[in-house]
Amino acid sequence: NLLAAQSSFVNAFDISTMFTRSAFTHLSRGIARQSNNQWSRAFAAQAGQAEVVLVGCGAPNRGMGWYHAIQMLEGRCPSASLDYIIEPWFLGPGAEGPGGPEFNEWASATASTYGTTFGTSVTGLPDPKQPRVALISGRTADNPRLLGECIKAGCKCIYLEKPGAPTVKELQEMKDEAEEAGIEVLMGYNKNVCKYVRKTREFAETVPGSHVTFVSNNAYENTPESLGECFERNAEGMLKNMAIHELALLVSFYDVSVENIESVTADKEFSSMQTLPGPSGKEFTDFDKIKFTIKTKTGKEVSVAADRCGGTDSYATVTNEEGEEVFRYWMPDEEDKKTVEELQAKYPTAMPYFFTQDPDYVTVKERAAKFTATGEEAEGLATIAIAVETLRVAEYLTPTLMEQLK
Protein backbone atom coordinates (compact mmCIF):
# COMPACT_ATOMS: atom_id res chain seq x y z
CA ASN A 1 0.00 0.00 0.00
CA LEU A 2 0.96 3.65 -0.26
CA LEU A 3 2.17 4.18 3.32
CA ALA A 4 4.24 1.01 3.28
CA ALA A 5 5.75 1.98 -0.04
CA GLN A 6 6.58 5.43 1.29
CA SER A 7 8.16 3.98 4.42
CA SER A 8 10.34 1.62 2.40
CA PHE A 9 11.22 4.45 0.04
CA VAL A 10 12.27 6.78 2.82
CA ASN A 11 14.19 4.35 4.96
CA ALA A 12 16.08 2.64 2.20
CA PHE A 13 17.24 5.86 0.51
CA ASP A 14 18.14 3.89 -2.60
CA ILE A 15 19.61 6.82 -4.47
CA SER A 16 19.65 5.10 -7.83
CA THR A 17 15.93 4.44 -7.52
CA MET A 18 15.00 7.72 -5.88
CA PHE A 19 16.40 9.94 -8.55
CA THR A 20 15.88 7.96 -11.75
CA ARG A 21 13.21 10.34 -13.06
CA SER A 22 13.61 13.33 -10.81
CA ALA A 23 15.98 14.85 -8.30
CA PHE A 24 13.20 14.95 -5.75
CA THR A 25 11.71 12.65 -3.19
CA HIS A 26 8.04 13.03 -2.37
CA LEU A 27 7.70 11.91 1.21
CA SER A 28 4.67 13.81 2.43
CA ARG A 29 1.92 12.29 4.50
CA GLY A 30 -0.33 14.92 2.95
CA ILE A 31 0.19 13.97 -0.68
CA ALA A 32 -2.84 13.16 -2.79
CA ARG A 33 -3.31 11.40 -6.09
CA GLN A 34 -4.30 13.82 -8.87
CA SER A 35 -6.04 13.02 -12.12
CA ASN A 36 -2.81 13.37 -14.08
CA ASN A 37 -1.22 10.58 -12.00
CA GLN A 38 1.30 12.93 -10.37
CA TRP A 39 1.83 13.50 -6.68
CA SER A 40 1.23 16.96 -5.25
CA ARG A 41 1.95 18.26 -1.78
CA ALA A 42 -0.89 19.31 0.47
CA PHE A 43 1.27 21.85 2.34
CA ALA A 44 2.53 24.30 -0.31
CA ALA A 45 3.00 28.08 -0.35
CA GLN A 46 -0.25 30.01 -0.34
CA ALA A 47 -1.03 33.44 -1.77
CA GLY A 48 0.97 36.03 0.15
CA GLN A 49 3.72 33.56 0.98
CA ALA A 50 7.06 32.89 -0.66
CA GLU A 51 7.86 29.39 -1.84
CA VAL A 52 11.17 28.64 -0.10
CA VAL A 53 13.85 26.32 -1.47
CA LEU A 54 16.47 25.59 1.20
CA VAL A 55 19.72 24.64 -0.53
CA GLY A 56 22.19 22.94 1.81
CA CYS A 57 20.57 21.74 5.00
CA GLY A 58 23.41 20.04 6.81
CA ALA A 59 23.20 17.71 9.77
CA PRO A 60 20.42 17.99 12.34
CA ASN A 61 21.50 20.01 15.38
CA ARG A 62 24.70 21.17 13.65
CA GLY A 63 23.95 22.67 10.24
CA MET A 64 22.83 26.28 10.00
CA GLY A 65 20.54 25.24 7.16
CA TRP A 66 18.86 22.74 9.47
CA TYR A 67 18.09 25.45 12.00
CA HIS A 68 16.71 27.71 9.27
CA ALA A 69 14.45 24.80 8.32
CA ILE A 70 13.28 24.28 11.90
CA GLN A 71 12.27 27.92 12.26
CA MET A 72 10.25 27.88 9.04
CA LEU A 73 8.66 24.50 9.64
CA GLU A 74 7.50 25.67 13.06
CA GLY A 75 5.70 28.59 11.40
CA ARG A 76 7.84 31.32 12.93
CA CYS A 77 8.32 33.04 9.56
CA PRO A 78 4.71 33.43 8.40
CA SER A 79 5.63 34.71 4.93
CA ALA A 80 7.83 31.65 4.27
CA SER A 81 6.60 28.22 3.18
CA LEU A 82 9.45 25.71 3.21
CA ASP A 83 8.42 23.63 0.20
CA TYR A 84 11.76 22.13 -0.86
CA ILE A 85 14.96 21.07 0.91
CA ILE A 86 17.98 20.32 -1.29
CA GLU A 87 20.67 18.25 0.44
CA PRO A 88 23.05 16.60 -2.06
CA TRP A 89 25.45 15.12 0.52
CA PHE A 90 23.23 13.36 3.05
CA LEU A 91 20.79 12.27 0.35
CA GLY A 92 23.69 11.13 -1.81
CA PRO A 93 27.25 9.96 -1.06
CA GLY A 94 26.97 10.81 2.64
CA ALA A 95 23.75 8.89 3.28
CA GLU A 96 25.53 6.06 5.09
CA GLY A 97 28.39 8.07 6.57
CA PRO A 98 28.60 10.14 9.77
CA GLY A 99 25.38 12.06 10.23
CA GLY A 100 23.69 10.43 7.24
CA PRO A 101 21.28 8.09 9.04
CA GLU A 102 20.29 10.87 11.45
CA PHE A 103 19.59 13.25 8.59
CA ASN A 104 17.52 10.71 6.71
CA GLU A 105 15.49 9.90 9.80
CA TRP A 106 14.80 13.61 10.29
CA ALA A 107 13.99 14.04 6.57
CA SER A 108 11.48 11.22 6.71
CA ALA A 109 9.75 12.68 9.76
CA THR A 110 9.78 16.19 8.27
CA ALA A 111 8.32 15.08 4.96
CA SER A 112 5.63 13.10 6.73
CA THR A 113 4.69 15.88 9.14
CA TYR A 114 5.05 18.99 6.99
CA GLY A 115 4.88 17.76 3.41
CA THR A 116 8.28 19.19 2.53
CA THR A 117 9.86 17.74 -0.61
CA PHE A 118 13.50 16.63 -0.38
CA GLY A 119 15.96 16.40 -3.25
CA THR A 120 19.60 16.43 -4.29
CA SER A 121 19.63 19.21 -6.88
CA VAL A 122 17.96 22.52 -7.70
CA THR A 123 17.92 21.57 -11.35
CA GLY A 124 14.63 19.93 -12.22
CA LEU A 125 12.52 21.86 -9.73
CA PRO A 126 8.95 22.32 -11.00
CA ASP A 127 7.83 25.83 -11.89
CA PRO A 128 7.03 27.92 -8.81
CA LYS A 129 3.38 28.21 -7.78
CA GLN A 130 4.13 31.32 -5.70
CA PRO A 131 7.12 33.73 -5.82
CA ARG A 132 10.17 31.62 -5.10
CA VAL A 133 13.13 32.43 -2.86
CA ALA A 134 16.19 30.23 -2.47
CA LEU A 135 17.97 30.16 0.88
CA ILE A 136 21.49 28.99 0.06
CA SER A 137 23.18 27.63 3.17
CA GLY A 138 25.64 25.06 1.86
CA ARG A 139 29.38 25.04 1.37
CA THR A 140 30.73 28.47 0.51
CA ALA A 141 32.74 27.01 -2.39
CA ASP A 142 29.53 25.77 -4.05
CA ASN A 143 27.69 29.10 -3.88
CA PRO A 144 28.68 30.54 -7.29
CA ARG A 145 27.28 27.46 -9.05
CA LEU A 146 24.24 27.24 -6.80
CA LEU A 147 23.28 30.86 -7.35
CA GLY A 148 23.25 30.33 -11.11
CA GLU A 149 21.15 27.19 -10.73
CA CYS A 150 18.67 28.99 -8.46
CA ILE A 151 18.27 31.81 -10.97
CA LYS A 152 17.50 29.27 -13.69
CA ALA A 153 15.03 27.58 -11.31
CA GLY A 154 12.81 30.64 -11.32
CA CYS A 155 13.82 32.30 -8.06
CA LYS A 156 12.72 35.91 -7.66
CA CYS A 157 15.05 36.45 -4.71
CA ILE A 158 18.05 34.66 -3.24
CA TYR A 159 18.97 34.68 0.44
CA LEU A 160 22.69 33.91 0.59
CA GLU A 161 24.46 32.87 3.77
CA LYS A 162 27.72 34.59 4.66
CA PRO A 163 30.29 35.17 3.31
CA GLY A 164 28.61 34.45 -0.05
CA ALA A 165 31.59 33.12 -1.99
CA PRO A 166 35.20 32.05 -1.34
CA THR A 167 36.69 35.14 -3.02
CA VAL A 168 35.81 38.72 -3.87
CA LYS A 169 36.13 37.96 -7.58
CA GLU A 170 33.57 35.15 -7.41
CA LEU A 171 31.14 37.17 -5.30
CA GLN A 172 31.39 40.13 -7.66
CA GLU A 173 30.65 37.81 -10.59
CA MET A 174 27.63 36.46 -8.70
CA LYS A 175 26.42 40.02 -8.09
CA ASP A 176 26.77 40.80 -11.79
CA GLU A 177 24.93 37.59 -12.78
CA ALA A 178 22.04 38.36 -10.45
CA GLU A 179 21.74 41.95 -11.62
CA GLU A 180 21.70 40.85 -15.25
CA ALA A 181 18.85 38.44 -14.42
CA GLY A 182 16.97 41.05 -12.39
CA ILE A 183 17.24 38.96 -9.21
CA GLU A 184 17.61 40.50 -5.75
CA VAL A 185 20.27 38.88 -3.55
CA LEU A 186 19.97 39.47 0.19
CA MET A 187 22.54 38.33 2.71
CA GLY A 188 22.14 36.41 5.95
CA TYR A 189 24.02 39.01 7.99
CA ASN A 190 21.58 38.73 10.87
CA LYS A 191 23.52 41.01 13.20
CA ASN A 192 22.59 43.96 10.99
CA VAL A 193 19.09 43.65 12.51
CA CYS A 194 20.13 42.64 16.06
CA LYS A 195 18.72 44.43 19.07
CA TYR A 196 22.10 44.69 20.77
CA VAL A 197 23.67 46.33 17.72
CA ARG A 198 20.87 48.89 17.40
CA LYS A 199 20.89 49.77 21.11
CA THR A 200 24.69 50.05 21.20
CA ARG A 201 24.79 52.36 18.18
CA GLU A 202 22.00 54.51 19.63
CA PHE A 203 23.77 54.83 23.00
CA ALA A 204 27.14 55.58 21.40
CA GLU A 205 25.61 58.58 19.64
CA THR A 206 24.88 60.13 23.05
CA VAL A 207 28.49 59.83 24.29
CA PRO A 208 31.08 62.39 23.08
CA GLY A 209 34.20 60.66 21.76
CA SER A 210 32.61 57.23 22.12
CA HIS A 211 34.28 54.04 20.94
CA VAL A 212 32.33 50.87 20.11
CA THR A 213 33.66 47.32 20.36
CA PHE A 214 31.69 44.39 18.93
CA VAL A 215 32.45 41.06 20.65
CA SER A 216 31.55 37.71 19.07
CA ASN A 217 31.89 34.36 20.85
CA ASN A 218 31.54 30.71 19.92
CA ALA A 219 31.55 27.78 22.34
CA TYR A 220 34.09 25.37 20.85
CA GLU A 221 36.20 23.43 23.31
CA ASN A 222 39.66 24.91 23.71
CA THR A 223 41.44 21.77 22.54
CA PRO A 224 43.53 21.05 19.43
CA GLU A 225 40.98 18.45 18.33
CA SER A 226 37.97 20.75 18.61
CA LEU A 227 39.67 23.77 17.09
CA GLY A 228 41.30 21.65 14.35
CA GLU A 229 37.86 20.38 13.32
CA CYS A 230 36.58 23.96 13.38
CA PHE A 231 39.50 25.25 11.28
CA GLU A 232 38.95 22.55 8.64
CA ARG A 233 35.16 22.86 8.49
CA ASN A 234 35.46 26.65 8.23
CA ALA A 235 38.52 26.63 6.01
CA GLU A 236 37.78 30.10 4.62
CA GLY A 237 39.12 31.41 7.94
CA MET A 238 37.67 33.23 10.94
CA LEU A 239 37.36 36.65 9.29
CA LYS A 240 35.42 35.16 6.38
CA ASN A 241 33.34 33.01 8.69
CA MET A 242 32.64 33.72 12.35
CA ALA A 243 33.70 37.40 12.39
CA ILE A 244 32.27 38.23 8.95
CA HIS A 245 29.06 39.43 10.66
CA GLU A 246 31.03 42.06 12.57
CA LEU A 247 32.85 43.13 9.41
CA ALA A 248 29.46 43.57 7.72
CA LEU A 249 28.47 45.88 10.58
CA LEU A 250 31.63 47.91 10.02
CA VAL A 251 30.94 48.19 6.29
CA SER A 252 27.24 48.98 6.83
CA PHE A 253 27.51 51.51 9.67
CA TYR A 254 31.10 52.73 10.12
CA ASP A 255 32.25 53.67 6.59
CA VAL A 256 34.77 50.82 6.54
CA SER A 257 36.04 49.86 3.11
CA VAL A 258 39.44 48.73 1.90
CA GLU A 259 40.10 52.14 0.41
CA ASN A 260 38.95 53.99 3.55
CA ILE A 261 41.00 52.03 6.11
CA GLU A 262 43.75 54.26 7.50
CA SER A 263 45.10 51.68 9.95
CA VAL A 264 44.32 48.34 11.56
CA THR A 265 45.99 47.28 14.80
CA ALA A 266 45.82 43.83 16.40
CA ASP A 267 45.51 43.50 20.16
CA LYS A 268 48.39 41.06 20.60
CA GLU A 269 47.63 40.39 24.26
CA PHE A 270 44.12 39.14 23.42
CA SER A 271 44.73 37.53 20.04
CA SER A 272 45.92 34.02 19.21
CA MET A 273 46.75 32.25 15.96
CA GLN A 274 47.39 28.51 15.67
CA THR A 275 48.28 25.90 13.06
CA LEU A 276 46.35 22.70 13.77
CA PRO A 277 45.52 19.46 11.96
CA GLY A 278 41.89 18.89 11.02
CA PRO A 279 40.14 15.51 10.94
CA SER A 280 41.63 14.86 7.49
CA GLY A 281 45.16 15.29 8.85
CA LYS A 282 45.74 18.42 6.78
CA GLU A 283 46.99 21.44 8.73
CA PHE A 284 45.12 24.75 8.86
CA THR A 285 46.32 28.11 10.18
CA ASP A 286 43.71 30.47 11.59
CA PHE A 287 42.87 32.71 14.51
CA ASP A 288 41.25 31.00 17.46
CA LYS A 289 40.70 34.51 18.81
CA ILE A 290 41.39 37.94 17.42
CA LYS A 291 40.86 41.54 18.47
CA PHE A 292 41.65 44.57 16.35
CA THR A 293 40.87 48.26 15.95
CA ILE A 294 40.23 49.98 12.63
CA LYS A 295 40.67 53.69 12.04
CA THR A 296 39.18 55.12 8.85
CA LYS A 297 40.38 58.02 6.75
CA THR A 298 37.05 59.72 7.45
CA GLY A 299 37.75 59.81 11.18
CA LYS A 300 35.81 56.84 12.52
CA GLU A 301 37.25 54.22 14.88
CA VAL A 302 35.76 50.87 15.87
CA SER A 303 36.96 47.56 17.34
CA VAL A 304 36.07 43.91 16.88
CA ALA A 305 36.87 40.91 19.10
CA ALA A 306 36.09 37.29 18.22
CA ASP A 307 36.82 34.18 20.27
CA ARG A 308 36.06 30.63 19.08
CA CYS A 309 36.11 29.41 22.69
CA GLY A 310 34.62 32.45 24.40
CA GLY A 311 31.19 31.05 25.23
CA THR A 312 27.72 31.39 23.75
CA ASP A 313 26.95 35.11 24.07
CA SER A 314 27.92 38.10 21.99
CA TYR A 315 27.83 41.71 23.14
CA ALA A 316 28.94 45.23 22.35
CA THR A 317 30.48 47.91 24.54
CA VAL A 318 30.75 51.68 24.46
CA THR A 319 33.66 53.50 26.08
CA ASN A 320 34.01 57.24 26.63
CA GLU A 321 36.89 59.57 25.80
CA GLU A 322 38.76 58.40 28.92
CA GLY A 323 38.49 54.76 27.82
CA GLU A 324 35.99 53.89 30.55
CA GLU A 325 33.24 51.43 29.66
CA VAL A 326 29.90 53.20 30.02
CA PHE A 327 27.57 50.75 28.25
CA ARG A 328 27.36 47.03 27.51
CA TYR A 329 24.50 45.21 25.83
CA TRP A 330 24.36 41.44 25.53
CA MET A 331 22.90 39.09 23.01
CA PRO A 332 20.74 37.53 24.32
CA ASP A 333 19.46 40.12 26.78
CA GLU A 334 17.34 39.26 29.80
CA GLU A 335 14.20 39.40 27.69
CA ASP A 336 15.51 36.79 25.25
CA LYS A 337 17.18 34.44 27.76
CA LYS A 338 13.90 32.68 28.50
CA THR A 339 13.57 31.82 24.81
CA VAL A 340 17.15 30.54 24.78
CA GLU A 341 16.45 28.28 27.76
CA GLU A 342 13.31 26.91 26.12
CA LEU A 343 15.15 26.18 22.87
CA GLN A 344 18.06 24.54 24.72
CA ALA A 345 15.59 22.22 26.43
CA LYS A 346 13.86 21.44 23.15
CA TYR A 347 17.08 20.89 21.15
CA PRO A 348 19.70 19.95 23.79
CA THR A 349 22.38 18.79 21.35
CA ALA A 350 22.12 21.71 18.89
CA MET A 351 24.82 24.35 18.44
CA PRO A 352 24.43 26.91 21.27
CA TYR A 353 24.81 29.95 19.01
CA PHE A 354 21.60 28.99 17.18
CA PHE A 355 19.61 30.01 20.22
CA THR A 356 21.35 33.25 21.16
CA GLN A 357 20.73 34.58 17.63
CA ASP A 358 17.37 32.87 17.19
CA PRO A 359 15.10 35.95 16.94
CA ASP A 360 17.42 37.62 14.45
CA TYR A 361 17.47 34.59 12.15
CA VAL A 362 13.67 34.73 12.17
CA THR A 363 13.66 38.45 11.38
CA VAL A 364 16.02 38.16 8.41
CA LYS A 365 14.16 35.20 6.86
CA GLU A 366 10.74 36.76 7.37
CA ARG A 367 11.80 40.04 5.77
CA ALA A 368 13.41 38.23 2.82
CA ALA A 369 10.33 36.04 2.34
CA LYS A 370 7.93 38.97 2.62
CA PHE A 371 9.95 40.95 0.09
CA THR A 372 9.78 37.96 -2.27
CA ALA A 373 6.05 37.48 -1.80
CA THR A 374 4.86 41.09 -1.72
CA GLY A 375 7.71 43.36 -2.77
CA GLU A 376 7.82 45.03 0.66
CA GLU A 377 11.29 46.45 1.34
CA ALA A 378 13.51 44.11 3.37
CA GLU A 379 14.45 46.76 5.90
CA GLY A 380 17.93 46.49 7.37
CA LEU A 381 19.04 43.45 5.37
CA ALA A 382 22.47 43.58 3.80
CA THR A 383 22.62 43.36 0.02
CA ILE A 384 25.17 41.48 -2.03
CA ALA A 385 26.89 44.84 -2.67
CA ILE A 386 27.53 45.13 1.09
CA ALA A 387 28.72 41.52 1.04
CA VAL A 388 31.24 42.18 -1.72
CA GLU A 389 32.84 45.02 0.25
CA THR A 390 32.72 42.98 3.46
CA LEU A 391 34.59 40.14 1.79
CA ARG A 392 37.12 42.62 0.36
CA VAL A 393 37.73 43.88 3.90
CA ALA A 394 38.11 40.30 5.22
CA GLU A 395 40.65 39.46 2.50
CA TYR A 396 42.57 42.64 3.30
CA LEU A 397 42.56 42.16 7.06
CA THR A 398 43.48 38.46 7.27
CA PRO A 399 47.09 38.65 6.02
CA THR A 400 47.59 42.04 7.67
CA LEU A 401 46.60 40.74 11.12
CA MET A 402 48.41 37.43 10.67
CA GLU A 403 51.60 39.35 9.92
CA GLN A 404 51.16 41.41 13.09
CA LEU A 405 50.76 38.26 15.20
CA LYS A 406 53.84 36.42 13.90
Side-chain angles (χ1 to χ4, degrees), residues 225-253:
E225 293 77 19
S226 178
L227 287 171
E229 188 276 335
C230 172
F231 285 8
E232 180 164 341
R233 182 159 46 84
N234 304 293
E236 60 267 30
M238 179 189 270
L239 293 187
K240 286 188 178 182
N241 178 264
M242 174 184 171
I244 197 77
H245 288 281
E246 283 64 38
L247 297 187
L249 295 175
L250 271 52
V251 171
S252 298
F253 303 124

Side-chain angles (χ1 to χ4, degrees), residues 25-28 41 43 73 82-85 107 110-118:
T25 65
H26 301 272
L27 310 178
S28 166
R41 294 175 56 254
F43 306 98
L73 292 171
L82 181 55
D83 290 358
Y84 300 97
I85 293 179
T110 298
S112 176
T113 302
Y114 299 102
T116 302
T117 300
F118 285 77

Side-chain angles (χ1 to χ4, degrees), residues 139-219:
R139 295 193 316 149
T140 300
D142 295 333
N143 285 355
R145 172 181 58 82
L146 292 172
L147 180 131
E149 291 179 359
C150 289
I151 290 174
K152 291 177 182 176
C155 292
K156 174 183 175 181
C157 176
I158 293 172
Y159 173 122
L160 191 61
E161 271 294 359
K162 49 82 176 171
T167 65
V168 170
K169 179 177 181 293
E170 288 168 294
L171 193 57
Q172 181 63 52
E173 289 172 350
M174 292 164 68
K175 176 177 176 289
D176 295 342
E177 182 180 4
E179 288 178 350
E180 184 176 342
I183 303 301
E184 185 73 38
V185 180
L186 301 171
M187 301 299 300
Y189 284 121
N190 60 289
K191 290 186 179 179
N192 277 40
V193 301
C194 274
K195 187 194 309 183
Y196 86 101
V197 171
R198 172 172 51 82
K199 288 186 174 290
T200 300
R201 292 176 58 225
E202 289 172 352
F203 189 90
E205 290 176 0
T206 70
V207 180
S210 63
H211 183 93
V212 171
T213 300
F214 293 107
V215 180
S216 178
N217 289 312
N218 278 171

